[in-house]
Amino acid sequence: MHGEYKVPGGKLVVVDVDVEDGVLRHVRVAGDFFLEPDEALDAVNAALEGAPADTGAASLAARVEAALPEGTVMYGLTSEGIGIAVRRALAHATDWTDYDWQLIHEGPQSPALHMALDEVLTAEVAAGRRPPTLRVWEWASPAVIIGSFQSLRNEVDAEEAARHGVEVVRRISGGGAMFVEPGNTITYSLSVPEALVQGLSFQDSYAYLDDWVLGALGDMGIRAWYQPLNDIATDQGKIAGAAQKRLVAPHGGSGAVLHHVTMSYDIDADKMLRVLRIGREKLSDKGTKSAKKRVDPLRRQTGLPRETVIERMIDSFRTRYGLSDGKVTPEELARAEELAATKFSAPEWTARVP
């Protein structure tokens, strides 16, 4: 069995392993990481040899950590990353480059239609009728997108939203509320087969699916990092938030994961604070007293037009994994338009948690 895992912000870890009589055998760890002294690699392999095949990633990491020679230095490598690579091998996880990725980047669409497209396209990936897809959104109007389990009245000031012409929609994924305006945010979705994140914990899957974005930002001169559970941050503040939803495949298939991210390009913080009810409790665990300081626009950090930032992000993804241009099919659009009208525009859905 073969597994690969790129440590977020680090290097690739590759594991080849057999399972005999329920335990790991012939474990071979490799990769483009740096490790000193040389004999530390033998210690890693020996630590994993004979471990029960159902051992979790954290316990595998603990075995590795305990076996490392004194003074071992790892660069681009972590014990946790080794444990995850083993679990991905055992789960027969796939890699980004195993797929023919498709890009969808179409004209502005309504907030409700964006919610519906996420559900429809990810369901199509789960059913095997659509390849893994990167969809870059364009917004037709301002919106607040609340998480699947958030209270509508606790998150949004309805009067202020109406006064500013801000539509409120509820998405199918969890997480917090996002404030968006056309031209001021960069939003994208990844609809991927569940096999791509096999062997990863829920938290690890966020870091794994966000890693390409960190590389793209780095190419633009921004040192960014993943901040658990679902933020992308820089030394000047949070710049993005992610959310996920797992969809079960019909007829017992492997399913798919929706991972979507909203990045602040040039946010109107004053308007955001009027429309969103951001409480002190939410801010208390962020180490800041001001919501304005929590989100820092990409425009100021890059000095680039929004369109250029998007173009460079897409180019980075294409260089890493390959990416062909595609579009929403007429059948997918018809189903999304129906969902937008019957579900995502319906008060029963938007206020399902009042």
Side-chain angles (χ1 to χ4, degrees), residues 74-95:
M74 293 190 282
Y75 181 76
L77 174 69
T78 63
S79 299
E80 292 78 11
I82 295 170
I84 291 170
V86 172
R87 291 311 316 168
R88 284 177 60 76
L90 297 173
H92 302 284
T94 56
D95 184 67

Side-chain angles (χ1 to χ4, degrees), residues 110-132:
S110 71
L113 185 58
H114 278 307
M115 304 303 107
L117 283 169
D118 262 359
E119 182 170 331
V120 168
L121 296 182
T122 307
E124 288 295 285
V125 172
R129 293 187 292 262
R130 159 169 286 280

Side-chain angles (χ1 to χ4, degrees), residues 54-103:
D54 60 356
T55 305
S59 295
L60 291 170
R63 290 175 71 111
V64 169
E65 198 67 30
L68 291 175
E70 186 176 353
T72 295
V73 176
M74 293 190 282
Y75 181 76
L77 174 69
T78 63
S79 299
E80 292 78 11
I82 295 170
I84 291 170
V86 172
R87 291 311 316 168
R88 284 177 60 76
L90 297 173
H92 302 284
T94 56
D95 184 67
W96 295 83
T97 54
D98 291 333
Y99 300 103
D100 294 323
W101 290 87
Q102 186 174 111
L103 170 68

Side-chain angles (χ1 to χ4, degrees), residues 118-267:
D118 262 359
E119 182 170 331
V120 168
L121 296 182
T122 307
E124 288 295 285
V125 172
R129 293 187 292 262
R130 159 169 286 280
T133 300
L134 167 64
R135 182 171 73 93
V136 180
W137 304 21
E138 297 294 344
W139 295 92
S141 58
V144 166
I145 305 96
I146 59 174
S148 182
F149 309 107
Q150 288 189 295
S151 162
L152 177 61
R153 63 170 170 258
N154 287 347
E155 297 298 326
V156 183
D157 186 318
E159 291 185 2
E160 286 293 322
R163 188 164 74 87
H164 291 286
V166 176
E167 182 178 352
V168 181
V169 292
R170 185 185 295 275
R171 61 180 184 266
I172 61 173
S173 62
M178 304 300 294
F179 174 78
V180 302
E181 293 181 291
N184 282 1
T185 56
I186 297 172
T187 307
Y188 66 86
S189 301
L190 286 170
S191 297
V192 307
E194 191 175 26
L196 183 62
V197 295
Q198 284 290 347
L200 299 178
S201 69
F202 190 73
Q203 176 172 319
D204 288 333
S205 72
Y206 274 85
Y208 184 68
L209 295 176
D210 282 339
D211 189 63
W212 72 275
V213 182
L214 304 186
L217 292 170
D219 292 342
M220 288 181 270
I222 298 178
R223 189 179 72 86
W225 58 86
Y226 161 75
Q227 184 169 290
L229 171 65
N230 60 336
D231 288 348
I232 297 174
T234 72
D235 56 7
Q236 298 186 51
K238 171 183 171 180
I239 59 172
Q244 284 186 10
K245 176 69 176 179
R246 310 292 172 105
L247 297 185
V248 178
H251 314 300
S254 62
V257 177
L258 167 66
H259 179 91
H260 43 200
V261 174
T262 293
M263 312 179 77
S264 299
Y265 176 74
D266 192 14
I267 195 165

Side-chain angles (χ1 to χ4, degrees), residues 33-72:
F33 49 79
F34 299 90
L35 179 62
E36 295 287 350
D38 285 351
E39 52 265 29
L41 184 60
D42 294 332
V44 169
N45 290 331
L48 297 170
E49 190 75 19
D54 60 356
T55 305
S59 295
L60 291 170
R63 290 175 71 111
V64 169
E65 198 67 30
L68 291 175
E70 186 176 353
T72 295

